[in-house]
Amino acid sequence: MLMSRKTRWLCVLLLLMFSSACAFQEQADAKFGDQHFKTAIALIELYKIRHGSYPDTLDDLTFTGVWDAIALNSVHYKRLGEGYQLDISRGWVGKPALSYPSDFWKGLGIIASNVGGAPHSAP
């Protein structure tokens, strides 16, 4: 059975809309994931400066803003001795694929992460 010309155009239009929506979601996940990950690092590292050690849980963080809660709900944190593991779990709606150069990790207490370029020492 042959498709009508209108049906073919509708299929093409839907395919284009779907593919552009996927690209938008990937870009949004990357942007939001990047911001969430960096915000969590900043709050964790600030806690260490103030208290001399990393927090046991993210609930120990103080003086956080309303928007910080969104970032902190997008990561998984685990204290590992004198450092910590920080994994990104969500960007905008999905899990982003993030990666940073080796210079990004210098001076941070991150021992392991699911983010590309991170130290991946066994906990």
Side-chain angles (χ1 to χ4, degrees):
M1 179 167 151
L2 295 175
M3 280 197 241
S4 72
R5 182 172 250 181
K6 288 181 183 179
T7 304
R8 280 190 299 231
W9 278 108
L10 181 61
C11 288
V12 168
L13 180 63
L14 289 173
L15 182 61
L16 288 172
M17 288 174 55
F18 179 73
S19 65
S20 65
C22 289
F24 171 78
Q25 181 180 334
E26 286 179 17
Q27 291 172 357
D29 281 334
K31 296 275 186 195
F32 280 86
D34 175 68
Q35 187 62 54
H36 297 329
F37 192 71
K38 290 174 180 174
T39 296
I41 290 171
L43 293 168
I44 293 164
E45 296 294 335
L46 178 60
Y47 182 95
K48 173 141 190 301
I49 290 169
R50 289 180 170 166
H51 299 277
S53 64
Y54 290 108
D56 291 326
T57 70
L58 293 179
D59 291 334
D60 295 338
L61 299 175
T62 54
F63 307 110
T64 57
V66 175
W67 291 103
D68 295 332
I70 297 169
L72 296 174
N73 284 321
S74 299
V75 297
H76 292 275
Y77 170 84
K78 182 178 180 183
R79 183 171 174 185
L80 302 173
E82 297 299 315
Y84 60 97
Q85 177 174 347
L86 189 66
D87 294 326
I88 187 73
S89 59
R90 194 178 84 232
W92 181 51
V93 291
K95 184 179 173 186
L98 301 177
S99 184
Y100 301 107
S102 58
D103 284 353
F104 174 84
W105 307 98
K106 289 182 181 174
L108 300 176
I110 296 178
I111 295 172
S113 178
N114 65 349
V115 172
H120 292 286
S121 305

